[in-house]
């Protein structure tokens, strides 16, 4: 199939990466002139790591794994709250040639049992506070993983990471991995069902740092960065590990859930210049009555991903804090953002333009290139696409189609090359024979002054015809009626798009990365 020149943009040449290449060694060896500069700050404890300390501790962790009998290409599940030991364990594993698998810290014991069995992990790095979630799963795991935790004590159940670091010498040499070797896994967030183990190569990390962090954000070593998205999420891994280590910036980590009060404390105390958030968080920050004023902060740029950013939130944030939010889209499969607004070229209500180094195309239901303004499925080509889903051949073939990766997202593209989100392919509604984007209806609802969040799904009426239904979270102190919101949407969109039913809820079901789980809303409505 030929791609339309209007939606296809030739990528710039990817970085030339040596055949023998270890991603962790690359990231850790870039700081000879900034050894004593702070690499990480733990906002929960105030503890810090310099670039030199991070390098030594990661090397000691690598040697500790080898001393415990780990071999190259064996796998290690990593489930820890964001803190100084997270980058130590992740990078140390890669130095040793062991493959870390970063997983969500908010899952159930059943989820962890599945991941341990699915990955056949030989080890588990876990926050001691999360140990109860793993105890039963470990007992039944066929690979009998060794446990490393952040407890100060080594017991029969787990090895203290602090003890292991103290007892180990720095590794003599990193594993002789190849650029095309598997480097790490991430499990998909589960916004559309069961999570899938997604395999990334050593070459992928530095590519995202070059193409997005350097060429779009303009990240430099004098930046201080803070990501509300956690390190286990592909978005957070780039924000708080790959990008700052590649370019020498300082990173602030927050181990606990990023609620408005804690985020503003970090922004005021540590004065980050770059803040990475998600739409639901930006909405809650703007709704916080105790939010600071712009002069109290030091932001130069903010980014948003995970879900499309409603235009109203972006405009209000920029008006209040004097800094733009660069809305973009990335995925676990592509590792980070490949489509984004850029500094000085922000169009709220769109997801921006293709990131240099990637190519995009839009394909309609017949598999043909879309016309200007036509809604189609977004496909991506670029140097960071995962190679497969583990133990899932059918979904691998469906998603990774040769050089193109299917996003599962619907988009349209205007004549200027700006892309507008139209919802997930499996979330699209057909009302009266016409496709309706749930996100378009949600964005309309979000422009009402009393709405904090909204999600739209399709529900069959008494004749069996699909119509939009909205779930709405009101702002604190606001009381709204369904009729009021229906009229609001009708005043902005074509009449057939308004939600026939509106249900007011206290919160929307979301993944830990902030994505609305519409499949759960559909299950509640059946």
């Amino acid at each position: 199939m030929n791609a339309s020149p209007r939606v296809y943009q030739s990528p710039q040449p990817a970085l030339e990466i040596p055949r023998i290449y270890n991603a962790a060694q690359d990231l850790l060896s870039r700081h000879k002139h900034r050894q004593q500069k702070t690499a990480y700050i733990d906002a929960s404890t105030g503890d810090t790591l310099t670039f030199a300390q991070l390098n030594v501790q990661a090397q000691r962790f690598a040697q500790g794994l080898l001393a415990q009998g780990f071999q190259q290409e064996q796998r290690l599940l990593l489930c820890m709250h964001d803190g100084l030991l997270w980058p130590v364990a992740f990078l140390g594993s890669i130095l040793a040639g062991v493959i870390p698998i970063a997983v969500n810290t908010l899952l159930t014991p059943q989820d962890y049992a599945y991941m341990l069995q699915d990955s056949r992990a030989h080890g588990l790095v876990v926050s001691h506070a999360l140990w109860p979630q793993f105890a039963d799963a470990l007992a039944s795991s066929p690979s009998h993983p060794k446990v490393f935790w952040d407890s100060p004590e080594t017991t029969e159940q787990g090895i203290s990471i602090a003890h292991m670091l103290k007892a180990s010498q720095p590794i003599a040499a990193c594993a002789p991995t190849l650029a095309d070797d598997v480097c790490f896994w991430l499990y998909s967030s589960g916004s559309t069902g069961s999570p899938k183990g997604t395999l990334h190569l050593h070459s992928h990390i530095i590519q995202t740092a070059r193409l997005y962090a350097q060429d779009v954000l303009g990240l430099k070593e004098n930046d201080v960065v803070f990501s509300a998205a956690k390190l286990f999420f592909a978005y957070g891994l780039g924000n708080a590990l790959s990008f700052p280590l590649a370019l020498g910036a300082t990173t602030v980590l927050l181990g606990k859930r990023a609620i408005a009060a804690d985020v503003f404390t970090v922004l005021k105390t540590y004065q980050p210049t770059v803040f990475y958030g998600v739409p639901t968080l930006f909405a809650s920050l703007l709704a916080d009555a105790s939010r600071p004023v712009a002069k109290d902060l030091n932001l130069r740029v903010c980014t948003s991903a995970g879900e499309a950013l409603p235009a109203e939130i972006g405009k209000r944030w920029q008006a209040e804090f004097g800094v733009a939010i660069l809305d973009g889209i990335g995925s676990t499969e592509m590792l980070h953002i490949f489509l984004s607004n850029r500094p000085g070229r922000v169009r709220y209500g769109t997801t921006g333009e293709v990131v240099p180094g990637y190519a995009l195309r839009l394909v309609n239901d017949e598999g043909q290139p879309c016309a200007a303004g036509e809604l189609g499925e977004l496909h991506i080509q670029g140097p960071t696409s995962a190679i497969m889903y583990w133990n899932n051949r059918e979904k691998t073939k469906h998603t990774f189609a040769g050089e193109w990766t299917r996003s599962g997202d619907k988009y349209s593209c205007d004549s200027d090359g700006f892309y507008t989100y139209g919802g997930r392919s499996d979330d699209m509604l057909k009302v009266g024979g016409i496709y309706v984007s749930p996100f378009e209806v949600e964005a309309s609802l979000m422009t009402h002054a009393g709405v904090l969040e909204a999600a739209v799904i399709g529900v069959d009426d008494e004749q069996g015809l699909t119509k939009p239904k909205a779930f709405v979270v009101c702002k604190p102190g606001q009381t709204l009626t369904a009729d009021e919101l229906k009229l609001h949407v009708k005043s902005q969109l074509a009449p057939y798009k308004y939600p026939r039913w509106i249900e007011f809820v206290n919160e929307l079901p979301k993944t830990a990365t902030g994505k609305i789980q519409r499949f759960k809303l559909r299950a509640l409505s059946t």
Side-chain angles (χ1 to χ4, degrees):
M1 174 172 54
N2 293 324
S4 164
R6 185 185 56 78
V7 297
Y8 177 93
Q9 301 197 20
S10 296
Q12 67 183 35
L15 286 173
E16 292 187 10
I17 297 177
R19 181 172 178 271
I20 298 177
Y21 175 81
N22 185 285
Q25 183 190 43
D26 182 6
L27 292 177
L28 291 167
S29 65
R30 292 172 167 245
H31 313 289
K32 292 181 173 60
H33 60 295
R34 58 174 81 95
Q35 290 287 292
Q36 300 312 310
K37 183 188 177 188
T38 299
Y40 282 98
I41 303 169
D42 186 334
S44 299
T45 64
D47 294 335
T48 63
L49 272 182
T50 64
F51 283 99
Q53 291 169 331
L54 174 64
N55 188 15
V56 170
Q57 290 196 21
Q59 289 192 42
R60 290 179 183 273
F61 188 90
Q63 185 60 44
L65 290 181
L66 297 179
Q68 289 293 327
F70 280 80
Q71 299 178 14
Q72 188 168 335
E73 298 186 4
Q74 288 185 333
R75 294 177 284 278
L76 184 78
L77 210 70
L78 173 57
C79 188
M80 298 186 76
H81 296 303
D82 283 17
L84 302 185
L85 286 178
W86 207 107
V88 167
F90 185 81
L91 295 167
S93 300
I94 295 170
L95 284 176
V98 174
I99 299 171
I101 305 172
V103 299
N104 189 333
T105 58
L106 299 174
L107 300 180
T108 67
Q110 292 75 24
D111 293 321
Y112 294 133
Y114 164 75
M115 290 175 176
L116 284 167
Q117 183 171 2
D118 180 59
S119 67
R120 306 188 194 110
H122 282 73
L124 167 67
V125 180
V126 63
S127 294
H128 192 259
L130 297 171
W131 166 249
Q133 303 292 89
F134 283 91
D136 291 340
L138 285 166
S140 59
S141 174
S143 56
H144 305 293
K146 291 184 178 179
V147 176
F148 305 88
W149 57 22
D150 58 3
S151 171
E153 301 299 329
T154 293
T155 70
E156 292 183 356
Q157 295 173 316
I159 298 168
S160 167
I161 298 173
H163 285 181
M164 186 172 77
L165 295 178
K166 187 175 181 179
S168 302
Q169 294 296 314
I171 194 170
C174 70
T177 52
L178 305 181
D180 284 344
D181 275 338
V182 174
C183 181
F184 62 96
W185 295 15
L186 299 169
Y187 272 92
S188 64
S189 62
S191 59
T192 58
S194 299
K196 301 176 287 293
T198 309
L199 281 60
H200 280 283
L201 305 180
H202 277 263
S203 62
H204 291 177
I205 285 179
I206 199 62
Q207 295 282 12
T208 62
R210 157 73 185 281
L211 298 175
Y212 180 71
Q214 179 177 303
D215 293 354
V216 174
L217 294 184
L219 194 70
K220 300 184 184 302
E221 66 177 326
N222 60 354
D223 279 311
V224 177
V225 305
F226 171 50
S227 176
K230 302 304 182 186
L231 282 161
F232 65 77
F233 179 33
Y235 179 44
L237 183 65
N239 300 342
L241 190 140
S242 310
F243 300 170
L245 292 184
L247 298 165
T250 295
T251 303
V252 182
L253 297 176
L254 181 66
K256 54 187 174 181
R257 181 170 170 259
I259 62 173
D262 293 328
V263 169
F264 280 134
T265 296
V266 171
L267 294 180
K268 289 187 295 184
T269 303
Y270 297 101
Q271 295 287 291
T273 54
V274 182
F275 172 50
Y276 306 94
V278 295
T280 53
L281 179 59
F282 283 113
S284 67
L285 293 173
L286 287 167
D288 192 301
S290 61
R291 60 188 181 275
V293 295
K295 67 180 181 61
D296 293 334
L297 309 181
N298 191 37
L299 295 171
R300 71 168 182 84
V301 68
C302 299
T303 75
S304 180
E307 290 253 285
L309 179 75
E312 188 68 15
I313 292 176
K315 291 175 182 176
R316 288 178 53 209
W317 182 271
Q318 185 163 352
E320 184 151 346
F321 294 104
V323 59
I325 300 176
L326 307 183
D327 187 28
I329 181 176
S331 66
T332 304
E333 290 77 9
M334 294 304 299
L335 188 56
H336 212 275
I337 290 172
F338 49 81
L339 172 62
S340 179
N341 283 272
R342 303 181 197 176
R345 290 180 60 83
V346 174
R347 290 191 189 179
Y348 289 121
T350 79
T351 316
E353 305 166 274
V354 61
V355 170
Y358 293 90
L360 305 178
R361 70 183 182 190
L362 295 177
V363 178
N364 63 23
D365 290 346
E366 288 71 46
Q368 298 301 311
C370 290
E374 181 185 358
L375 204 63
E377 185 182 46
L378 180 69
H379 294 185
I380 313 103
Q381 183 187 93
T384 61
S385 177
I387 61 168
M388 64 180 292
Y389 295 131
W390 182 255
N391 283 342
N392 204 326
R393 179 63 177 156
E394 286 306 309
K395 289 189 176 179
T396 293
K397 289 192 296 182
H398 176 78
T399 299
F400 305 103
E403 292 186 351
W404 293 93
T405 299
R406 300 178 63 173
S407 70
D409 292 300
K410 293 282 191 180
Y411 269 88
S412 61
C413 181
D414 66 20
S415 58
D416 293 330
F418 281 78
Y419 288 75
T420 299
Y421 182 63
R424 293 286 299 174
S425 296
D426 50 6
D427 288 334
M428 292 299 294
L429 315 179
K430 212 163 194 179
V431 179
I434 305 172
Y435 273 121
V436 174
S437 162
F439 181 75
E440 183 182 19
V441 184
E442 292 166 8
S444 176
L445 288 164
M446 287 293 296
T447 63
H448 192 287
V451 173
L452 179 64
E453 293 182 302
V456 172
I457 62 169
V459 173
D460 289 347
D461 64 13
E462 59 273 14
Q463 282 83 38
L465 301 174
T466 300
K467 300 291 190 299
K469 175 180 179 178
F471 293 81
V472 172
V473 180
C474 296
K475 289 181 179 177
Q478 295 286 332
T479 301
L480 304 175
T481 67
D483 288 342
E484 178 183 359
L485 291 180
K486 289 178 183 178
L487 288 172
H488 180 76
V489 174
K490 286 180 179 179
S491 72
Q492 297 182 336
L493 303 179
Y496 64 89
K497 296 182 179 181
Y498 85 93
R500 305 317 194 263
W501 307 274
I502 295 180
E503 184 173 333
F504 294 98
V505 295
N506 292 326
E507 60 181 359
L508 299 174
K510 301 186 190 77
T511 69
T513 57
K515 293 181 181 179
I516 297 171
Q517 295 174 308
R518 291 174 181 80
F519 72 93
K520 289 188 177 180
L521 297 175
R522 286 193 289 269
L524 292 173
S525 299
T526 56

